[in-house]
Coordinates of all heavy atoms in Angstrom, one line a residue:
A53 N -4.9 -5.6 21.3 CA -6.3 -5.5 21.3 C -7.0 -5.0 22.6 O -8.2 -4.7 22.6 CB -7.0 -6.7 20.8
G54 N -6.2 -5.1 23.7 CA -6.8 -4.8 25.0 C -7.7 -5.8 25.5 O -8.6 -5.6 26.3
V55 N -7.6 -7.1 25.0 CA -8.5 -8.2 25.4 C -7.6 -9.4 25.7 O -6.5 -9.5 25.3 CB -9.4 -8.6 24.3 CG1 -10.4 -7.5 23.9 CG2 -8.7 -9.2 23.0
N56 N -8.1 -10.2 26.6 CA -7.4 -11.5 26.9 C -7.8 -12.6 25.9 O -8.7 -12.4 25.1 CB -7.6 -11.9 28.3 CG -9.0 -12.3 28.7 OD1 -9.7 -12.9 27.8 ND2 -9.4 -12.0 29.9
H57 N -7.1 -13.6 26.0 CA -7.3 -14.7 25.0 C -8.7 -15.4 25.1 O -9.2 -15.8 24.1 CB -6.2 -15.8 25.2 CG -6.0 -16.8 24.1 ND1 -6.4 -18.0 24.2 CD2 -5.6 -16.6 22.8 CE1 -6.2 -18.6 23.0 NE2 -5.7 -17.8 22.2
V58 N -9.2 -15.4 26.3 CA -10.5 -16.0 26.5 C -11.6 -15.2 25.8 O -12.4 -15.7 25.0 CB -10.9 -16.1 27.9 CG1 -12.3 -16.6 28.2 CG2 -10.0 -17.2 28.6
Y59 N -11.5 -13.8 25.9 CA -12.5 -13.0 25.2 C -12.4 -13.1 23.8 O -13.4 -13.2 23.0 CB -12.3 -11.5 25.6 CG -12.5 -11.1 27.0 CD1 -12.8 -12.0 28.0 CD2 -12.3 -9.8 27.4 CE1 -13.1 -11.6 29.3 CE2 -12.5 -9.4 28.7 CZ -12.9 -10.3 29.7 OH -13.1 -10.0 31.0
Y60 N -11.1 -13.1 23.2 CA -10.9 -13.2 21.8 C -11.5 -14.5 21.3 O -12.1 -14.6 20.3 CB -9.4 -13.1 21.5 CG -9.0 -13.1 20.1 CD1 -9.0 -12.0 19.3 CD2 -8.7 -14.3 19.4 CE1 -8.7 -12.0 17.9 CE2 -8.4 -14.4 18.1 CZ -8.4 -13.2 17.3 OH -8.2 -13.2 16.0
M61 N -11.2 -15.6 22.0 CA -11.7 -16.9 21.7 C -13.2 -17.0 21.6 O -13.7 -17.6 20.7 CB -11.1 -18.0 22.6 CG -11.5 -19.4 22.3 SD -10.7 -20.6 23.4 CE -11.1 -20.0 24.9
L62 N -13.9 -16.4 22.6 CA -15.3 -16.3 22.5 C -15.8 -15.6 21.3 O -16.8 -16.1 20.6 CB -15.9 -15.7 23.8 CG -15.6 -16.5 25.1 CD1 -16.1 -15.6 26.3 CD2 -16.2 -17.9 25.1
L63 N -15.3 -14.5 20.9 CA -15.6 -13.8 19.7 C -15.4 -14.6 18.5 O -16.2 -14.7 17.6 CB -14.8 -12.4 19.6 CG -15.2 -11.4 20.8 CD1 -14.2 -10.2 20.6 CD2 -16.6 -11.0 20.8
A64 N -14.2 -15.3 18.5 CA -13.9 -16.2 17.3 C -14.9 -17.3 17.2 O -15.3 -17.6 16.0 CB -12.5 -16.6 17.4
I65 N -15.2 -18.0 18.2 CA -16.2 -19.0 18.2 C -17.5 -18.5 17.7 O -18.2 -19.2 16.8 CB -16.4 -19.7 19.7 CG1 -15.1 -20.4 20.0 CG2 -17.5 -20.6 19.7 CD1 -15.0 -20.8 21.5
L66 N -18.0 -17.4 18.2 CA -19.3 -16.9 17.7 C -19.2 -16.5 16.3 O -20.2 -16.7 15.5 CB -19.7 -15.7 18.6 CG -20.1 -16.0 20.0 CD1 -20.3 -14.7 20.8 CD2 -21.4 -16.8 20.0
S67 N -18.1 -16.0 15.8 CA -17.9 -15.5 14.4 C -18.0 -16.7 13.5 O -18.4 -16.6 12.3 CB -16.6 -14.8 14.2 OG -15.5 -15.6 14.2
A68 N -17.7 -18.0 14.0 CA -17.7 -19.1 13.1 C -19.1 -19.7 13.0 O -19.3 -20.6 12.2 CB -16.8 -20.2 13.7
Q69 N -20.1 -19.2 13.7 CA -21.4 -19.7 13.7 C -22.2 -19.0 12.5 O -21.9 -17.8 12.3 CB -22.2 -19.4 15.0 CG -21.5 -20.0 16.1 CD -21.3 -21.5 16.0 OE1 -22.2 -22.3 15.6 NE2 -20.0 -21.9 16.2
P70 N -23.0 -19.7 11.8 CA -23.7 -19.0 10.6 C -24.4 -17.7 11.0 O -24.4 -16.8 10.2 CB -24.6 -20.1 10.1 CG -24.1 -21.4 10.6 CD -23.4 -21.0 11.9
D71 N -25.0 -17.7 12.1 CA -25.8 -16.5 12.5 C -25.1 -15.7 13.6 O -25.6 -14.8 14.2 CB -27.2 -16.8 13.0 CG -27.2 -17.8 14.2 OD1 -26.2 -18.3 14.6 OD2 -28.3 -18.2 14.7
G72 N -23.8 -16.1 14.0 CA -23.1 -15.5 15.0 C -23.6 -15.6 16.4 O -23.4 -14.7 17.3
R73 N -24.3 -16.6 16.6 CA -25.1 -16.7 17.9 C -25.0 -18.2 18.4 O -25.0 -19.1 17.6 CB -26.5 -16.4 17.6 CG -27.4 -16.5 18.8 CD -28.8 -15.9 18.5 NE -29.6 -17.0 18.0 CZ -30.8 -17.1 18.2 NH1 -31.5 -16.2 18.8 NH2 -31.6 -18.1 17.7
L74 N -24.9 -18.3 19.7 CA -24.9 -19.7 20.4 C -25.6 -19.5 21.8 O -25.4 -18.5 22.4 CB -23.5 -20.2 20.6 CG -22.7 -20.9 19.5 CD1 -21.3 -21.3 20.0 CD2 -23.5 -22.2 19.1
P75 N -26.2 -20.6 22.3 CA -26.6 -20.6 23.7 C -25.4 -20.5 24.5 O -24.3 -21.0 24.2 CB -27.3 -21.9 23.9 CG -27.7 -22.4 22.5 CD -26.6 -21.8 21.5
L76 N -25.4 -19.9 25.7 CA -24.3 -19.7 26.6 C -23.7 -21.1 26.9 O -22.4 -21.2 27.0 CB -24.7 -18.9 27.8 CG -23.7 -18.7 28.9 CD1 -22.6 -17.8 28.3 CD2 -24.3 -18.1 30.1
T77 N -24.5 -22.0 27.2 CA -23.9 -23.3 27.5 C -23.1 -23.9 26.4 O -22.0 -24.5 26.6 CB -25.0 -24.3 27.9 OG1 -26.0 -24.4 26.9 CG2 -25.7 -24.0 29.2
E78 N -23.5 -23.8 25.2 CA -22.7 -24.3 24.0 C -21.5 -23.5 23.8 O -20.4 -24.0 23.4 CB -23.6 -24.3 22.8 CG -24.7 -25.4 22.8 CD -25.5 -25.4 21.5 OE1 -24.9 -25.2 20.4 OE2 -26.7 -25.7 21.5
L79 N -21.6 -22.2 24.0 CA -20.4 -21.4 23.9 C -19.4 -21.8 25.0 O -18.2 -21.8 24.7 CB -20.8 -19.9 24.1 CG -19.6 -18.9 24.0 CD1 -19.0 -18.9 22.6 CD2 -20.2 -17.5 24.2
A80 N -19.8 -22.0 26.2 CA -18.8 -22.5 27.2 C -18.2 -23.8 26.8 O -17.0 -24.0 27.0 CB -19.6 -22.6 28.6
R81 N -19.0 -24.7 26.3 CA -18.5 -26.0 25.9 C -17.5 -25.9 24.8 O -16.4 -26.5 24.8 CB -19.6 -26.9 25.4 CG -19.3 -28.4 25.3 CD -20.5 -29.3 25.0 NE -21.5 -29.1 25.9 CZ -22.7 -28.7 25.6 NH1 -23.1 -28.4 24.4 NH2 -23.7 -28.6 26.5
A82 N -17.8 -25.0 23.8 CA -16.9 -24.9 22.7 C -15.6 -24.2 23.1 O -14.5 -24.4 22.6 CB -17.6 -24.0 21.6
A83 N -15.7 -23.3 24.2 CA -14.5 -22.6 24.7 C -13.7 -23.5 25.7 O -12.6 -23.1 26.1 CB -14.9 -21.3 25.3
E84 N -14.3 -24.7 26.0 CA -13.6 -25.5 27.0 C -13.4 -24.8 28.3 O -12.4 -24.9 29.0 CB -12.3 -26.1 26.5 CG -12.3 -26.8 25.2 CD -13.0 -28.2 25.4 OE1 -13.2 -28.7 26.5 OE2 -13.4 -28.7 24.3
T85 N -14.4 -23.9 28.7 CA -14.4 -23.3 30.0 C -15.7 -23.5 30.7 O -16.6 -23.9 30.1 CB -14.2 -21.7 29.8 OG1 -15.3 -21.2 29.2 CG2 -12.9 -21.4 29.1
S86 N -15.7 -23.2 32.0 CA -16.9 -23.4 32.8 C -18.0 -22.4 32.3 O -17.7 -21.4 31.8 CB -16.7 -23.2 34.3 OG -16.4 -21.9 34.6
Q87 N -19.2 -22.8 32.6 CA -20.3 -21.9 32.2 C -20.2 -20.6 33.1 O -20.5 -19.5 32.5 CB -21.7 -22.6 32.5 CG -22.8 -21.7 31.9 CD -24.1 -22.5 31.9 OE1 -24.2 -23.7 31.9 NE2 -25.2 -21.8 31.8
S88 N -19.8 -20.7 34.3 CA -19.6 -19.5 35.1 C -18.6 -18.6 34.5 O -18.8 -17.3 34.5 CB -19.3 -19.9 36.5 OG -19.0 -18.8 37.4
R89 N -17.4 -19.1 34.2 CA -16.4 -18.3 33.7 C -16.8 -17.7 32.3 O -16.5 -16.5 32.1 CB -15.1 -19.1 33.4 CG -13.9 -18.3 33.0 CD -12.6 -19.0 32.9 NE -11.6 -18.2 32.5 CZ -10.4 -18.5 32.0 NH1 -10.1 -19.8 32.0 NH2 -9.5 -17.6 31.7
T90 N -17.5 -18.4 31.5 CA -18.0 -17.9 30.2 C -19.0 -16.8 30.5 O -18.9 -15.8 29.8 CB -18.6 -19.1 29.4 OG1 -17.6 -20.1 29.2 CG2 -19.0 -18.6 28.0
S91 N -19.9 -17.0 31.4 CA -20.9 -16.0 31.8 C -20.2 -14.7 32.2 O -20.6 -13.6 31.8 CB -21.8 -16.5 32.8 OG -22.8 -15.5 33.1
H92 N -19.1 -14.7 33.0 CA -18.5 -13.6 33.5 C -17.7 -12.9 32.3 O -17.8 -11.6 32.1 CB -17.4 -13.9 34.5 CG -18.0 -14.2 35.8 ND1 -18.7 -13.3 36.6 CD2 -18.1 -15.3 36.5 CE1 -19.1 -13.9 37.8 NE2 -18.8 -15.1 37.7
A93 N -17.2 -13.6 31.3 CA -16.5 -13.1 30.2 C -17.5 -12.5 29.3 O -17.2 -11.4 28.7 CB -15.7 -14.2 29.5
V94 N -18.6 -13.1 29.1 CA -19.7 -12.5 28.2 C -20.2 -11.2 28.8 O -20.4 -10.3 28.0 CB -20.9 -13.6 28.0 CG1 -22.0 -12.9 27.4 CG2 -20.3 -14.7 27.1
T95 N -20.3 -11.2 30.1 CA -20.8 -9.9 30.8 C -19.7 -8.8 30.4 O -20.1 -7.7 30.1 CB -20.9 -10.1 32.3 OG1 -22.0 -11.1 32.5 CG2 -21.3 -8.7 32.9
A96 N -18.5 -9.2 30.5 CA -17.4 -8.1 30.2 C -17.4 -7.7 28.8 O -17.3 -6.4 28.5 CB -16.1 -8.7 30.6

Side-chain angles (χ1 to χ4, degrees):
V55 299
N56 66 36
H57 196 249
V58 172
Y59 294 2
Y60 183 87
M61 181 174 50
L62 295 177
L63 297 174
I65 291 167
L66 290 170
S67 76
Q69 303 308 306
D71 60 356
R73 180 175 88 146
L74 275 177
L76 181 64
T77 54
E78 288 184 35
L79 181 59
R81 191 174 309 116
E84 303 289 343
T85 63
S86 71
Q87 189 168 341
S88 174
R89 183 174 185 196
T90 303
S91 181
H92 287 295
V94 166
T95 297

